[in-house]
């Protein structure tokens, strides 16, 4: 397997589809200011089998992703485990020749249960497993029988939330005022809890020009109390980028109701999976987040990070 570096334009012409939006040329180019240099790699034998976009930092590291939840290999069609092995070995040599580390975070396996276990296996043999994060997702088909998939306490909290004077708003994602409103709620939530907010408002607006996005707001009376930002990562898998409520309304259990309304919305839309994201930081679990996501019917899977 030979690695040939190419341009963004040629890379985009070679790969007509992506396993997820974060591997796309458009998303990479949007965020290239966050890295020293982009490497668009193609893997050939002699046909083009795989692609990989790496961002280079000043510390001698090439990363996939360099500004996203996950990255990994791109492929236009199914590839054998032998070709996957050859590609990872070639990537290891690519890093060695340049005296650079390569870090790869794979999507959770539900994004592609055909290829991702094979890629993880190849990386495990050629690289070092450095993080094992717990990622949660909601299988939208479970919403058809939602009372049976949520825990007893979550049912109680949902009933309590439904008794309140609330309004669920599907914001206009083409309206910057609506986006700013939802973002402001999320920003305040992060400030109240001391959580990082890695995307600025400008980042969010720029990304919506590349990735279709949905924004949701939950009101109590005339007051905003919770919001969510969701990206369309594949045709059938959407991802919660941020969601949260305001501390003054926490006793009303708005997150239970917000989750319910969002699941309901995507059930009507025919989406298959809502990726809720990890509840770990560098593999260390946040017990409260884990318990909440499990209580509302989410399933867990692993998101693995490797270093070559």
């Amino acid at each position: 397997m030979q690695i040939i570096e190419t341009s963004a334009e040629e890379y985009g012409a070679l790969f007509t589809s992506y396993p997820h939006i974060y591997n796309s040329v458009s998303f990479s180019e949007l965020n290239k200011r966050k890295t020293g240099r982009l490497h668009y790699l193609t893997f050939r034998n002699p046909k083009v089998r795989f692609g990989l976009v790496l961002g280079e930092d000043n510390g001698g590291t090439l990363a996939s992703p360099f500004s996203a939840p996950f990255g990994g290999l791109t492929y236009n069609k199914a590839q054998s485990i032998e070709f996957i092995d050859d590609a990872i070995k070639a990537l290891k040599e690519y890093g060695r020749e340049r005296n650079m580390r390569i870090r790869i975070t794979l999507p959770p396996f539900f994004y592609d249960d055909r290829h991702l276990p094979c890629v993880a296996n190849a990386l495990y043999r050629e690289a070092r497993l450095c993080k094992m994060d717990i990622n949660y997702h909601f299988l939208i088909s479970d919403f058809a029988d939602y009372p049976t998939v949520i825990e007893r306490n979550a049912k109680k909290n949902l009933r309590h939330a439904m008794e309140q004077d609330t309004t669920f708003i599907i914001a206009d994602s083409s309206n910057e005022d609506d986006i700013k409103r939802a973002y402001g709620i999320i920003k305040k939530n992060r400030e109240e809890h001391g959580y990082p907010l890695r995307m600025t408002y400008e980042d969010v607006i720029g990304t919506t020009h590349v990735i279709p996005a949905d924004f949701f707001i939950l009101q109590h009376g005339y007051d905003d109390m919770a919001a969510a930002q969701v990206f369309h990562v594949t045709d059938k898998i959407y991802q919660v980028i941020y969601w949260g409520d305001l501390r003054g309304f926490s006793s009303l259990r708005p997150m239970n109701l917000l989750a319910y309304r969002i699941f309901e919305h995507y059930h009507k839309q025919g989406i298959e999976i809502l990726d809720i994201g990890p509840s770990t930081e560098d593999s260390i679990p946040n017990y409260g987040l884990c318990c909440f996501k499990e209580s509302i019917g989410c399933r867990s899977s692993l998101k693995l990070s490797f270093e070559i």
Side-chain angles (χ1 to χ4, degrees):
M1 191 80 67
Q2 182 183 17
I3 293 180
I4 297 177
E5 189 167 351
T6 187
S7 65
E9 292 74 20
E10 184 183 358
Y11 190 93
L14 287 170
F15 296 100
T16 56
S17 62
Y18 300 93
H20 54 79
I21 194 67
Y22 302 127
N23 277 9
S24 68
V25 170
S26 57
F27 183 81
S28 300
E29 289 294 307
L30 175 69
N31 291 283
K32 67 181 180 181
R33 70 187 186 282
K34 300 176 183 178
T35 187
R37 179 192 163 204
L38 287 180
H39 297 243
Y40 286 97
L41 307 185
T42 60
F43 298 70
R44 313 179 187 215
N45 71 344
K47 292 182 179 179
V48 176
R49 300 292 179 180
F50 304 99
L52 181 66
V53 182
L54 295 170
E56 180 179 337
D57 68 15
N58 295 326
T61 299
L62 300 170
S64 171
F66 61 91
S67 180
F70 43 75
L73 294 171
T74 287
Y75 29 84
N76 280 329
K77 61 180 182 178
Q79 300 291 342
S80 71
I81 189 169
E82 181 180 0
F83 289 163
I84 292 171
D85 272 4
D86 289 346
I88 298 304
K89 289 174 182 176
L91 183 61
K92 187 174 184 178
E93 184 60 28
Y94 183 87
R96 182 184 293 119
E97 288 174 354
R98 289 156 182 78
N99 194 30
M100 300 187 79
R101 294 184 299 274
I102 299 174
R103 292 178 181 162
I104 297 178
T105 296
L106 300 178
F109 288 177
F110 61 79
Y111 277 88
D112 182 356
D113 58 10
R114 160 67 177 83
H115 282 94
L116 287 171
C118 298
V119 175
N121 174 268
L123 284 166
Y124 179 78
R125 287 180 280 113
E126 297 294 334
R128 177 179 69 88
L129 177 62
C130 54
K131 285 201 299 182
M132 185 182 288
D133 286 308
I134 302 172
N135 197 93
Y136 287 90
H137 65 282
F138 185 77
L139 196 62
I140 297 297
S141 60
D142 283 346
F143 187 78
D145 200 15
Y146 193 63
T148 68
V149 300
I150 62 175
E151 296 180 1
R152 181 179 177 183
N153 194 51
K155 292 179 189 178
K156 178 183 175 182
N157 290 339
L158 181 58
R159 282 196 302 269
H160 179 65
M162 285 182 163
E163 291 169 357
Q164 311 306 315
D165 175 21
T166 61
T167 305
F168 178 66
I169 299 169
I170 302 170
D172 182 356
S173 59
S174 65
N175 186 320
E176 291 192 10
D177 288 338
D178 277 11
I179 297 174
K180 190 172 187 178
R181 179 181 171 188
Y183 181 84
I185 299 166
I186 292 164
K187 184 173 186 290
K188 188 173 180 181
N189 165 268
R190 292 301 188 272
E191 291 170 350
E192 288 178 345
H193 293 277
Y195 297 154
L197 184 62
R198 295 183 174 92
M199 293 186 77
T200 65
Y201 170 69
E202 290 72 23
D203 288 335
V204 172
I205 293 296
T207 304
T208 60
H209 297 157
V210 173
I211 302 178
D214 298 324
F215 298 87
F216 305 97
I217 297 167
L218 191 64
Q219 279 186 318
H220 178 254
Y222 295 103
D223 297 319
D224 294 341
M225 66 174 177
Q229 172 185 332
V230 177
F231 284 169
H232 301 191
V233 182
T234 77
D235 289 343
K236 294 295 184 181
I237 303 176
Y238 292 1
Q239 184 180 39
V240 174
I241 302 303
Y242 295 122
W243 67 359
D245 61 353
L246 300 183
R247 181 170 286 166
F249 298 96
S250 59
S251 64
L252 305 182
R253 306 303 182 187
M255 291 306 298
N256 291 83
L257 183 57
L258 181 65
Y260 176 85
R261 294 301 182 201
I262 291 173
F263 296 162
E264 180 183 48
H265 172 75
Y266 288 131
H267 185 256
K268 293 175 182 176
Q269 296 275 316
I271 303 308
E272 293 179 359
I273 293 173
L274 186 63
D275 181 354
I276 308 297
S279 292
T280 49
E281 188 72 32
D282 293 328
S283 306
I284 307 299
N286 179 316
Y287 298 130
L289 284 177
C290 291
C291 288
F292 171 72
K293 292 176 183 179
E294 289 166 7
S295 76
I296 62 172
C298 294
R299 306 176 184 218
S300 61
S301 59
L302 292 175
K303 188 171 79 167
L304 307 177
S305 299
F306 297 86
E307 184 176 284
I308 302 175

